Amino acid sequence: MTERGETTVINIGGKGSSLTPAAVYAISTGQAQVRLDSSALDRPTSKSNQITPRFHIPKTLSSEETRASLIVSLNKLLLSNSVPKNIPIQLSEKLNSPILDIEGLDTTGDDFSDVLWGIGAILVNKCMALSIAEAVAALSCEALKADVSAFASMDSGDGFVNKDANGVAGDLKIMLTGSNLVGKVDVEAVNVIPRINGKFREVVKSVYSIMRVELNSAPKSGKGSVGEGGAIGMTMRATLLPLAVALLDLGKNSLCRAKLNMESIVVESLKNELLGMFAKGCPDEESVKNAYKLSIEADFNEDYVKFEQQVNVLCGIVRNVVNWEAVTAFFVLEGGELSELGKDSSQVNEGDVKVDNKNDKKKKKKKVAMGRGTSVITQFMKDILVSKGADSLEKWVESLLSLLNPDNQYFTTLLDRVKEIVECNEVRRLPKIPKGTRDFAKEQMTIREKAFSIITKVFKKHGGTSLDTPVFELRETLMGKYGEDSKLIYDLADQIKFNHRMLLDGMLEICGVPPEKFRTISSSIDKLDKQDFNQVKKEMVEEKGLSAEVADKIGLYVKERGHPLELLSKLKQDSYKFLENEASKKAFEELEILFECLDKAKCIDRVVFDLSLARGLDYYTGVIYEAVFKGATQTIRATETEVLVAILGDKTPAAAELCQELWASNLKVEFSVHKSIMKHIELAINSKIPWMLVLGEQELNQGIVKLKDLENKEEVVVQRVNILEELKTRLNK
């Protein structure tokens, strides 16, 4: 895309060029002109292959949708290289005309696939612009003084990671870096932001990827039949139905925060006047649901054009809701400074709202620090209001809503600033860990340490000895021909899953997998504990070149799991064909010996034979086993501290003396220094420390220590000289 003066020009048909949803949207809305690449017109065409294109333009299309449809048709005609030069030239002239005139075009066609791709391109571009919803949600987090700790715990630690939800949570944390407004109130509409916005992000990326491919695909043979359009229609419904659901959830959640924002405005006169505008301008939940319902009804009736149009309507309604969430959050955060936006420094009148500044110097409090990103956004919004000369609440709202319109010249600037903040290297100055590895929080490390202590104890009981291997391997071992996407799993368990490498290889051979693909397909199968088979099948077929038929055969085998001896007997049946394979027969012999030993040792019931258990590395040659934790959820203490010494004030020498006395007696103790007793109690409760010693100026002067039993909420006064014995007595009970 290039610029010529103030007119944006988009080249179509050039070598290596591609049509994007953004380009379709810009041309269809008159923000850009079409320019045919000369190379496309100079390509030789055979007259015998030339066709006269027929276009399908339903009367229900808007001018914008008609233009989008014709843009897609133009690009595909250039890709097909089978039309006279005058046809693309005629189309480009019509598209560049301020008033679209389809006179002269053959509109008797019955293939509506280009209509679907055109409307779809408009829709996905509008959805891409809705990425601003995450920045708006960050404003609401501060407006509602919300607890955002949920953003830091998206990774559950069990290997199940929602990448897009994690991405949204990470971006929100960056936007809110340095904020003193968040972290106080539990708001469900805030807690779910990463998952709802993450799902929307995931779906939009998927739709965009599909749209980008289809916009630049040459017409298929037989194009022009109703069947082609119908097939595309079914493709589009499968693509856009998840988008409709994601839009519904995004709109409902944003509306919930917008309403909460309205309730949080402290200036009653401002709140009352804005409430009237909000009720009139912001779509309610029924409007959002009804738009979704109409799209589903159109899909049910197989009216695919109307289906896309209704999803587009839903997108517009959700956009309006998000804009109002931004407006309400802005007035919560900046309502106290409205006077600075008015022309008269002594008084601002926004309809019925009046703010008196006579005693401003006395009454003005230091503004609470906002987040790194949210402060930039609100300042940008304030600058726009000032530049517009807005002097009333109605005009302020009008200006803000206009700013948040994707067609506004300042909207792109706002979006770019948000992107700069999120991607800023200075903000993301965090250690980057290699792909396939992760950090462990203190609670997770507590579990891991306990797990390995149990494992070590069991191995030593049975004569095991320690062996320390390097934390890194030779590249050819881990990243050889088959091992690029492999992993190791080793977790605490009260159940062990078993399989055998040779049985796995035999299974793959029976299914028809080429030997050179055994390891890479094994690494895909290994993901079945975290993904369903359809996801794994997609990887095997689309990324690793396996046929769908072979993948389906694998699916029949890997679903088998159960009691070791029973399943082993079942797999020996002729229908499974394992006994026809030498590798499988050898594996059966080894597994039979192992299972009989486990049976005699009376632990066979704690073992599961699972054909989905796989490994992709070459050094797994025999039995494969994996420990799985199946116990109930337990409360985890990240620290073993028994006593917190709470120093009220700055008497750190006294803390050091008391702690040293306790440490010398092998008690697990830590201390904190703060003037507020509640800060000490909060630390102890959060760390699940059972006992607390309180030592302040008064206690030092009286030679006493206050001993708090935090679990039973009891407190006793103990003489300083007796505190060690008192603690030992209570800890030993």
Side-chain angles (χ1 to χ4, degrees):
M1 188 179 288
T2 59
E3 288 191 4
R4 184 179 61 194
E6 294 183 356
T7 304
T8 300
V9 177
I10 297 174
N11 286 315
I12 293 183
K15 186 177 181 180
S17 65
S18 61
L19 187 65
T20 66
V24 173
Y25 180 78
I27 298 170
S28 67
T29 55
Q31 300 175 37
Q33 296 269 292
V34 175
R35 180 169 62 195
L36 300 179
D37 194 277
S38 59
S39 63
L41 298 176
D42 292 340
R43 294 175 194 146
T45 59
S46 171
K47 290 187 178 180
S48 60
N49 293 331
Q50 286 187 356
I51 61 171
T52 301
R54 295 183 302 146
F55 304 94
H56 180 71
I57 305 177
K59 295 180 180 180
T60 57
L61 297 189
S62 66
S63 175
E64 180 182 291
E65 292 167 342
T66 302
R67 285 180 183 271
S69 170
L70 292 177
I71 296 161
V72 176
S73 297
L74 172 60
N75 193 53
K76 290 186 177 292
L77 288 174
L78 292 173
L79 289 170
S80 70
N81 197 29
S82 60
V83 294
K85 295 180 182 178
N86 65 302
I87 300 295
I89 294 174
Q90 181 188 19
L91 271 178
S92 63
E93 290 175 349
K94 289 183 177 297
L95 288 168
N96 290 336
S97 174
I99 300 176
L100 181 64
D101 179 12
I102 60 174
E103 189 72 29
L105 296 179
D106 185 346
T107 58
T108 62
D110 52 15
D111 173 24
F112 53 89
S113 57
D114 290 351
V115 174
L116 295 176
W117 294 126
I119 300 175
I122 293 174
L123 172 60
V124 74
N125 189 72
K126 289 181 179 180
C127 288
M128 294 288 285
L130 259 177
S131 62
I132 194 67
E134 293 162 20
V136 171
L139 291 177
S140 290
C141 290
E142 291 189 319
L144 300 173
K145 297 181 171 58
D147 179 2
V148 295
S149 58
F151 300 168
S153 58
M154 291 305 300
D155 185 350
S156 61
D158 57 6
F160 293 85
V161 179
N162 186 326
K163 292 182 179 179
D164 290 293
N166 272 356
V168 171
D171 291 348
L172 287 169
K173 287 188 287 185
I174 291 171
M175 294 290 293
L176 297 168
T177 298
S179 174
N180 289 332
L181 286 169
V182 296
K184 300 173 180 65
V185 182
D186 183 31
V187 182
E188 180 61 21
V190 167
N191 296 337
V192 298
I193 291 172
R195 298 193 183 279
I196 289 180
N197 289 59
K199 186 61 180 179
F200 179 72
R201 180 188 286 192
E202 174 193 335
V203 173
V204 171
K205 286 194 298 186
S206 174
V207 174
Y208 180 87
S209 178
I210 294 170
M211 198 65 59
R212 185 73 182 267
V213 171
E214 292 296 339
L215 288 177
N216 297 283
S217 299
K220 297 178 175 60
S221 59
K223 188 179 186 318
S225 67
V226 177
E228 174 68 18
I232 298 298
M234 288 185 283
T235 299
M236 290 303 293
R237 72 178 293 274
T239 302
L240 297 183
L241 274 174
L243 179 60
V245 176
L247 281 166
L248 173 67
D249 292 340
L250 183 70
K252 288 167 61 179
N253 191 237
S254 177
L255 180 61
C256 182
R257 289 191 299 273
K259 290 179 178 179
L260 292 173
N261 290 341
M262 281 297 309
E263 296 172 5
S264 301
I265 298 176
V266 294
V267 181
E268 283 299 320
S269 52
L270 169 63
K271 180 178 180 179
N272 292 336
E273 186 173 357
L274 187 61
L275 187 60
M277 297 180 188
F278 179 80
K280 183 178 179 181
C282 181
D284 57 15
E285 185 171 338
E286 192 60 33
S287 299
V288 178
K289 289 181 177 179
N290 189 56
Y292 173 75
K293 180 182 177 182
L294 290 174
S295 67
I296 298 302
E297 288 178 353
D299 170 62
F300 182 79
N301 295 325
E302 298 184 358
D303 188 340
Y304 300 125
V305 173
K306 186 176 181 181
F307 167 63
E308 282 196 349
Q309 290 174 320
Q310 289 299 332
V311 178
N312 213 337
V313 170
L314 174 61
C315 180
I317 291 174
V318 172
R319 153 68 59 183
N320 199 0
V321 171
V322 171
N323 290 354
W324 272 101
E325 181 189 353
V327 169
T328 55
F330 175 79
F331 280 109
V332 174
L333 296 169
E334 300 296 332
E337 297 187 5
L338 290 176
S339 58
E340 297 179 10
L341 301 178
K343 294 181 179 179
D344 185 351
S345 61
S346 64
Q347 190 180 78
V348 176
N349 188 332
E350 62 286 344
D352 295 333
V353 182
K354 294 185 178 181
V355 182
D356 192 354
N357 296 324
K358 293 180 180 179
N359 299 316
D360 186 59
K361 292 184 179 180
K362 294 181 180 179
K363 294 182 179 179
K364 191 172 183 179
K365 296 181 180 179
K366 184 178 179 180
K367 188 175 180 180
V368 180
M370 295 180 65
R372 180 187 181 93
T374 50
S375 60
V376 172
I377 296 172
T378 53
Q379 187 58 53
F380 185 84
M381 296 169 80
K382 285 161 63 176
D383 291 344
I384 293 297
L385 294 184
V386 171
S387 68
K388 294 290 185 182
D391 57 1
S392 69
L393 180 61
E394 185 176 355
K395 290 183 179 179
W396 288 337
V397 171
E398 182 182 335
S399 296
L400 290 175
L401 292 175
S402 175
L403 164 65
L404 295 165
N405 184 336
D407 294 334
N408 188 297
Q409 60 178 326
Y410 295 111
F411 178 79
T412 302
T413 305
L414 175 60
L415 211 57
D416 288 342
R417 291 199 180 182
V418 172
K419 186 176 180 181
E420 287 172 7
I421 295 165
V422 170
E423 296 180 353
C424 178
N425 289 332
E426 182 179 350
V427 176
R428 291 197 178 217
R429 198 175 290 166
L430 298 172
K432 187 175 182 180
I433 60 175
K435 182 179 179 181
T437 64
R438 62 188 297 271
D439 291 327
F440 291 95
K442 55 187 181 180
E443 293 83 6
Q444 295 162 333
M445 279 306 301
T446 301
I447 297 172
R448 286 172 63 84
E449 288 174 355
K450 182 178 180 181
F452 281 106
S453 69
I454 294 173
I455 292 168
T456 301
K457 182 179 178 181
V458 171
F459 271 78
K460 286 184 176 181
K461 181 179 179 180
H462 294 273
T465 57
S466 299
L467 173 66
D468 191 11
T469 58
V471 295
F472 53 88
E473 289 271 15
L474 293 175
R475 182 179 178 85
E476 56 264 32
T477 302
L478 293 178
M479 298 192 65
K481 189 173 180 181
Y482 309 109
E484 296 93 337
D485 53 357
S486 302
K487 60 184 183 293
L488 302 174
I489 302 177
Y490 202 4
D491 293 321
L492 174 63
D494 55 8
Q495 184 187 78
I496 298 177
K497 294 198 295 186
F498 276 97
N499 200 356
H500 197 290
R501 169 93 265 172
M502 295 176 69
L503 181 63
L504 182 65
D505 288 352
M507 177 191 77
L508 296 178
E509 184 178 340
I510 292 168
C511 291
V513 178
E516 65 272 15
K517 290 184 179 290
F518 279 7
R519 297 300 175 262
T520 188
I521 295 301
S522 293
S523 68
S524 295
I525 295 173
D526 194 26
K527 298 176 182 178
L528 283 170
D529 60 339
K530 298 179 177 64
Q531 300 177 4
D532 62 37
F533 181 73
N534 288 333
Q535 292 173 295
V536 172
K537 177 184 175 181
K538 183 178 180 181
E539 178 181 301
M540 292 191 293
V541 174
E542 296 183 6
E543 298 180 22
K544 300 186 176 179
L546 209 61
S547 71
E549 181 182 2
V550 171
D552 288 335
K553 289 181 180 178
I554 293 174
L556 296 175
Y557 280 92
V558 296
K559 69 180 182 180
E560 297 288 357
R561 67 190 307 270
H563 188 279
L565 291 173
E566 293 175 3
L567 182 55
L568 188 63
S569 176
K570 178 181 178 181
L571 296 178
K572 288 182 178 180
Q573 296 174 8
D574 293 342
S575 60
Y576 286 93
K577 301 182 180 181
F578 277 122
L579 294 180
E580 300 174 12
N581 183 276
E582 289 301 318
S584 299
K585 288 168 63 177
K586 178 66 175 175
F588 277 168
E589 291 172 4
E590 294 185 5
L591 286 172
E592 192 162 13
I593 294 171
L594 173 63
F595 293 160
E596 286 179 358
C597 291
L598 291 171
D599 188 32
K600 296 298 183 183
K602 301 188 186 303
C603 58
I604 191 73
D605 291 335
R606 301 179 70 182
V607 174
V608 172
F609 188 9
D610 189 345
L611 290 191
S612 71
L613 183 61
R615 292 295 184 267
L617 294 179
D618 283 327
Y619 54 61
Y620 290 99
T621 58
V623 172
I624 310 167
Y625 65 92
E626 177 178 298
V628 182
F629 176 64
K630 295 183 66 179
T633 302
Q634 299 177 358
T635 301
I636 302 300
R637 281 191 63 195
T639 176
E640 295 183 6
T641 302
E642 298 169 304
V643 182
L644 174 67
V645 176
I647 305 300
L648 294 175
D650 55 2
K651 304 296 183 181
T652 48
E657 180 184 8
L658 178 54
C659 287
Q660 179 55 40
E661 182 181 341
L662 301 177
W663 287 329
S665 297
N666 293 322
L667 298 185
K668 296 174 181 178
V669 180
E670 63 179 274
F671 72 89
S672 67
V673 180
H674 203 283
K675 294 179 181 179
S676 170
I677 184 63
M678 292 308 299
K679 291 292 183 182
H680 294 295
I681 294 175
E682 183 179 337
L683 172 61
I685 291 175
N686 290 341
S687 300
K688 299 180 177 63
I689 301 173
W691 299 91
M692 186 169 81
L693 297 179
V694 180
L695 193 62
E697 188 76 32
Q698 180 180 346
E699 288 78 12
L700 283 172
N701 293 336
Q702 296 179 12
I704 61 171
V705 178
K706 291 178 181 176
L707 175 60
K708 286 184 175 289
D709 179 346
L710 295 173
E711 184 176 348
N712 297 314
K713 298 181 180 179
E714 296 176 354
E715 178 182 305
V716 295
V717 176
V718 182
Q719 292 296 315
R720 169 66 180 82
V721 294
N722 299 329
I723 190 59
L724 178 58
E725 292 304 318
E726 182 67 23
L727 270 177
K728 285 183 176 180
T729 301
R730 291 176 178 268
L731 289 172
N732 289 332
K733 285 185 178 180

